[in-house]
Amino acid sequence: GCDKFCSFCVVPYTRGAEYSRKVEGIFNEVKELVEIGAKEITLLGQNVSSYKSSVFEKKIKVEVNLAKLLKIISRIDGLERIRYLTSHPNDIDDDLISQHALNEKLMPFLHLPIQSGSNKILKKMNRNHTKSDYINLVKRIKSKIRDMAFSSDFIVGYPGESDDDFNQTLDLIDNVRFASSYSFKYSPRPGTLSSLKHPNIVDDNTASSRLQKLQSLLNQQQNEFNSEFVGNIEEVLFTENGKLENQYVGRTKYLQPVHVVSKSNIIGKTLKVHLRDLTSFSFHGSIKS
C-alpha cells in the first residue's frame, strides 16, 4: 500500500495503507528461492524505502528498517545480487545510503522517482519535497557511492504545468543525469485529487510535444551512460535465452541488457563479459574465460 497520497496516484485508494511483511517471512522466502537457484532478488513495494518491522535478536526486540533488512538478507549464502524498488525520495536515510556503500550484494542502481522538476508542480502533486531537496539527496548519495546510477519517473502535462515548469524539469534532468527513466503524459485517475481539483488541463498537443522533448533528452543521457561501458569487462548475470540460436541475455549491475553467444547453457551464471558493441540500449559481448 501507500500512505503518501500523491495527488495523481490511485494506489492509496486501490491498495490501502502501507504495511510491511515480517522480517522472518521475507528472509525465509529469499532463502527458499536461493536454494532452488535464484541468484538475484528484488524487494518490491510501492514505497519500499519506508519499510518498518521488527525482529528479536537475543530476546531483544530490534526495529528493522529497509537498510537493516538488506543487511539481514545479504547473509544468505548463494545470494549474489539484491535490488529494491520503488523508493520515495523522502524515505532515503543515512542508514540506507550506508548500506549501498558497505553491502557488496546491493546493486549500485537506484530507481528514485521525482515526477517533475518544478517546485510549483511538486507541491500540486503533494510530493512534499522540492527540486533542490532531490538534487541534494542525489549529491549526498554520490558522495558516498561514486559508481551509483539513478533512474526516475516523470509526468509531463500535469494540470497547470507551464513552459517554465517544464523547463525546470529539463534543468533537473541536466543536473542529475539519469542512466534510464520512465516518462508519461499526465492522465487523470478517477478519484484522485488531481482529477477533481486541478482544472487547468494542458492540451494534448502541448503535452505530447513536451514528452517528446523530455524523452529525447533522457534517451540521450541513457545512451551516453551506456557508451561509457563499451570496451569494459563487466560482470553479467544471465537469466534467459536470446532470440538467436545459442544466444543468452543477462544484466549488468546497472540492469543493462547484454547479449552473448555460448555453446553451453549459462542461465543462472554470473560471468565476466567484454562489452564490445552497443545497439540501441543493449550490449553485445563475448564471455571472458
Side-chain angles (χ1 to χ4, degrees):
C2 183
D3 296 341
K4 295 291 192 290
F5 286 92
C6 298
S7 61
F8 56 83
C9 184
V10 76
V11 168
Y13 308 101
T14 57
R15 297 187 189 174
E18 287 179 356
Y19 69 93
S20 299
R21 289 180 56 191
K22 292 183 180 297
V23 177
E24 295 87 348
I26 297 172
F27 182 90
N28 290 333
E29 182 179 348
V30 174
K31 191 170 184 294
E32 290 171 2
L33 290 169
V34 171
E35 287 173 352
I36 61 173
K39 301 293 180 67
E40 175 181 309
I41 62 99
T42 300
L43 300 176
L44 179 65
Q46 184 64 26
N47 285 310
V48 68
S49 46
S50 63
Y51 179 86
K52 289 181 180 64
S53 188
S54 61
V55 69
F56 283 92
E57 294 183 353
K58 298 180 180 179
K59 298 183 179 181
I60 299 175
K61 187 177 182 180
V62 178
E63 298 301 315
V64 178
N65 57 13
L66 180 62
K68 188 165 181 64
L69 178 65
L70 292 165
K71 185 177 181 180
I72 291 170
I73 289 173
S74 68
R75 298 170 185 161
I76 297 174
D77 292 334
L79 178 61
E80 296 180 6
R81 293 180 171 187
I82 304 173
R83 304 183 189 273
Y84 61 89
L85 59 90
T86 296
S87 300
H88 192 288
N90 294 358
D91 296 326
I92 306 296
D93 58 18
D94 289 338
D95 286 346
L96 191 52
I97 295 172
S98 294
Q99 266 303 294
H100 275 284
L102 300 172
N103 192 333
E104 294 182 356
K105 294 185 178 182
L106 185 56
M107 296 294 97
F109 185 81
L110 180 58
H111 185 62
L112 193 61
I114 184 170
Q115 311 298 352
S116 173
S118 162
N119 287 339
K120 183 189 85 178
I121 297 301
L122 288 170
K123 186 175 182 178
K124 285 177 175 287
M125 289 178 167
N126 194 37
R127 294 290 290 173
N128 291 314
H129 62 77
T130 65
K131 174 184 178 181
S132 61
D133 290 337
Y134 186 92
I135 291 173
N136 289 335
L137 173 60
V138 169
K139 288 179 178 178
R140 198 165 96 240
I141 295 171
K142 286 185 174 181
S143 73
K144 301 291 184 181
I145 309 104
R146 295 187 63 183
D147 64 341
M148 195 73 163
F150 296 86
S151 63
S152 193
D153 293 341
F154 294 94
I155 296 173
V156 301
Y158 188 86
E161 182 187 67
S162 66
D163 287 341
D164 181 66
D165 295 322
F166 175 67
N167 288 333
Q168 287 296 317
T169 300
L170 297 181
D171 180 72
L172 177 132
I173 294 170
D174 273 330
N175 197 304
V176 174
R177 307 198 68 79
F178 293 95
S180 62
S181 281
Y182 303 92
S183 50
F184 314 90
K185 288 192 296 184
Y186 169 79
S187 59
R189 295 292 187 264
T192 60
L193 286 176
S194 64
S195 68
L196 299 172
K197 293 189 175 182
H198 296 309
N200 300 321
I201 301 299
V202 176
D203 70 86
D204 189 64
N205 287 338
T206 299
S208 295
S209 176
R210 289 175 182 172
L211 182 63
Q212 184 178 18
K213 188 173 182 179
L214 178 131
Q215 289 181 339
S216 177
L217 178 58
L218 289 170
N219 289 341
Q220 176 188 330
Q221 289 189 359
Q222 183 172 355
N223 187 64
E224 289 171 354
F225 177 80
N226 286 339
S227 294
E228 294 177 1
F229 289 81
V230 176
N232 287 6
I233 296 174
E234 300 287 337
E235 288 191 341
V236 177
L237 173 58
F238 289 94
T239 56
E240 59 188 305
N241 295 101
K243 294 180 180 179
L244 305 178
E245 185 178 0
N246 295 327
Q247 186 183 59
Y248 294 88
V249 183
R251 299 269 179 170
T252 69
K253 60 186 178 181
Y254 298 110
L255 281 176
Q256 299 151 303
V258 178
H259 299 74
V260 302
V261 173
S262 172
K263 292 182 179 179
S264 59
N265 187 342
I266 56 174
I267 291 177
K269 294 183 179 180
T270 302
L271 303 171
K272 290 185 177 181
V273 177
H274 179 211
L275 305 181
R276 292 183 286 101
D277 302 304
L278 176 62
T279 305
S280 296
F281 301 113
S282 298
F283 291 94
H284 292 268
S286 55
I287 299 168
K288 300 294 290 183
S289 58

